[in-house]
Structure formats: structure tokens, C-alpha cells
Amino acid sequence: MLLTIDCGNTNTVFSIWDGQEFLCTLRTSTHHGRTADAYFTWFSTLIKHYGIELDITDVIISSTVPRVVFNLRVFSDRFFGLRPLVVGKPECLLPHPPRVDEGTIVGPDRLVNTAGAYDRHGGNLIVVDFGTATTFDVVDHDGAYVGGLIAPGVNLSLEALHMAAAALPHVDISKPQRVVGTNTVACMQSGVFWGYVGLVKECCARIKAERGQDMKIIGTGGLAALFAETEDLFDELENDLTMHGLTVIHNYNKEHG
């Protein structure tokens, strides 16, 4: 079994892959102070709840928070006797190395999304990931990541409004019933929701125009489904793109490492 771990700025996700399917997906908040023992206590408790007989033979990690990688390495070594493969480290091979400015460090999450999207959909893609940041990843015809855009995430924008303007409350994102709000909460929800619809449409249109070709748009991340229900923003919606990308990179290293 392969244990895939994706550590983002907000949440850390553990999934168990048996070679055919993901047996379960577990989610916890990202906290750099969480020890290897704390990870195992949380992990083993939930695994027991799912009734899964563990036989972890490999571990692969993608982390946008460098400070958590050490404890995840210890977790892997102490409880499974395994040295994890860490995306972004020199020893982790990529199926298609990125083509970006010399010296640029590409976020592991973007490399993993690229690998997963290319494996499922081929090249000439725009991957829109609704995470802590909203990112646009451009995947070339041969599967290489060639750049993209980074914008503030949806929830981050709402939180910034609340923190910076004393009169504005904290609100959750949802599709507003009307574009023109008639109260403060509705106005904020409409501004953020339709603002991000416009952001996705305009950014994708400009990427296509700059590259001079049509491209398939892949939506992923926690809020992608909400936007996909409302607008025809994506050609495909992927719920497990990052975890799938981790299996692709792991398999490539098994074959070529």
C-alpha cells in the first residue's frame, strides 16, 4: 500500500492507495508543531475506525509548508520503517520537469497537480486549484509545467475583508441568490463569488490568447465544485487530482529511480 500525504497551508490530507483505488482519505489541520507521535495517534485511530488492515510499503509527501516535512519524515520512519519520497527534493524524479525561469522553485502542489492532470487528460491544460491561494497551472503539450498565476484564495479574500474593515462581518462563501445584495452579508458573498467567477474566466481566456490555442480547463480544490455547479467554468472537475498526481510521481520513481 502507498500512503500519500499532501500538506497544504490550511489542511493536511492522508490517503491510502492499494494500487487500484484510494481506500480512505483522512484530513487534519496543518500545524508545524504536530509531532510524529501526534500524527500516528490521529492516523491510527481513524484507520481503526475504517477497519483497514495496514500494510504500508511506500510513502510519498508533497508539502507547501517546509516546517512540517521533518515530523512527517519521522512519522514515516518510526512507524512504518520507510524513507518517504518528498516531491521537490532532488532525489524525487518528475515525469516531466518544469520549464520555468532558471532558479525558480515551483511549489510541490503545482508539480503534483501537473503530473496528475497530464496523466488523466493529456497536455495543453489549465489547472485551476481553489486552495488557500487560487492557482492557475499551465501544462504544456508534453506534460511540463510552464508557469501560471497565483491569486488570493476565496476564503482568504473573505477573511481579509473581515479583518481590514471593522464593519464587515465574517461570512462563508456560497452562491448568492441575486447579484445585487440587499444586506451586508449578501453584498460580500456576491462580490467574492462573482468576482472569482470573473477572475477564472478572464485569466483562462488570457492564457489561451497568449498561447494562441484552445486548452482544456481542469478545476480542483475544495471550492471548485461550488463554482462548477453555477458556471460553465471547467471542462473537467477533479476531486482527487493532487492525490492521483502523487501516485503518478511515485510510480515514475519506482520505474526510473
Side-chain angles (χ1 to χ4, degrees), residues 38-54:
Y39 277 118
F40 185 73
T41 300
W42 164 81
F43 179 76
S44 59
T45 300
L46 287 178
I47 289 300
K48 186 179 296 185
H49 169 76
Y50 281 99
I52 297 174
E53 292 294 330
L54 280 184

Side-chain angles (χ1 to χ4, degrees), residues 11-189:
N11 292 316
T12 299
V13 182
F14 289 59
S15 288
I16 298 174
W17 174 255
D18 69 354
Q20 300 295 326
E21 62 180 348
F22 287 109
L23 300 180
C24 70
T25 295
L26 313 175
R27 188 179 301 268
T28 186
S29 59
T30 297
H31 177 48
H32 70 268
R34 184 173 284 119
T35 64
D37 292 345
Y39 277 118
F40 185 73
T41 300
W42 164 81
F43 179 76
S44 59
T45 300
L46 287 178
I47 289 300
K48 186 179 296 185
H49 169 76
Y50 281 99
I52 297 174
E53 292 294 330
L54 280 184
D55 181 22
I56 302 297
T57 57
D58 296 275
V59 179
I60 184 169
I61 300 169
S62 169
S63 178
T64 58
V65 186
R67 294 175 68 186
V68 306
V69 174
F70 174 78
N71 282 325
L72 288 173
R73 283 182 181 272
V74 175
F75 163 79
S76 177
D77 178 63
R78 181 177 297 168
F79 297 105
F80 303 116
L82 299 170
R83 178 182 176 85
L85 190 64
V86 180
V87 178
K89 298 298 183 182
E91 64 271 18
C92 181
L93 305 177
L94 297 173
H96 309 280
R99 291 194 292 272
V100 292
D101 293 344
E102 187 176 351
T104 298
I105 298 176
V106 181
D109 55 331
R110 309 185 83 172
L111 297 174
V112 171
N113 280 350
T114 295
Y118 181 73
D119 182 69
R120 283 182 170 170
H121 303 287
N124 295 322
L125 307 175
I126 303 171
V127 181
V128 185
D129 188 352
F130 290 84
T132 304
T134 300
T135 59
F136 298 74
D137 300 328
V138 179
V139 184
D140 211 346
H141 66 93
D142 60 353
Y145 169 85
V146 291
L149 294 76
I150 302 175
V154 177
N155 287 317
L156 191 62
S157 294
L158 281 168
E159 189 64 25
L161 278 175
H162 169 62
M163 295 294 292
L168 296 181
H170 175 80
V171 299
D172 293 323
I173 183 66
S174 65
K175 179 193 173 184
Q177 295 183 346
R178 303 173 58 187
V179 175
V180 179
T182 55
N183 58 68
T184 302
V185 170
C187 288
M188 293 173 66
Q189 289 177 331

